[in-house]
Amino acid sequence: MDVIYWLIPSMIFVGVVLVILLMVGVKNGQFEDLEGEGQRILFDEDVDVKVAKKNIKK
C-alpha cells in the first residue's frame, strides 16, 4: 500500500512533464508537416544534386 502513495504523485508529475513537452513541441512547429517526412524518402536526392550542379555550370 505504501507504493501507491509514491506511485500516484510520481505518475502525475510524469504526466505533467509530458504535457508540457507536447505543448512546447506544438508551439515550435514540430508537428506542422506530418506527411513531408514520409514523402521525402520516396525521392532521390542524388538526382537533385546533379541537376543543381548542371544548372550552376551553365
Side-chain angles (χ1 to χ4, degrees), residues 14-28 30-31:
V14 168
V16 169
V17 168
L18 290 176
V19 168
I20 290 171
L21 288 175
L22 177 67
M23 290 177 8
V24 168
V26 169
K27 187 175 182 177
N28 289 335
Q30 182 72 29
F31 302 105

Side-chain angles (χ1 to χ4, degrees), residues 2-54:
D2 292 333
V3 174
I4 292 176
Y5 296 132
W6 178 79
L7 188 64
I8 291 173
S10 64
M11 289 299 110
I12 290 173
F13 175 74
V14 168
V16 169
V17 168
L18 290 176
V19 168
I20 290 171
L21 288 175
L22 177 67
M23 290 177 8
V24 168
V26 169
K27 187 175 182 177
N28 289 335
Q30 182 72 29
F31 302 105
E32 286 183 3
D33 185 19
L34 296 177
E35 294 181 9
E37 292 296 324
Q39 292 177 359
R40 189 173 301 147
I41 196 169
L42 299 175
F43 299 107
D44 191 15
E45 292 181 12
D46 295 338
V47 175
D48 295 335
V49 172
K50 291 177 184 176
V51 171
K53 287 181 180 178
K54 286 182 183 178

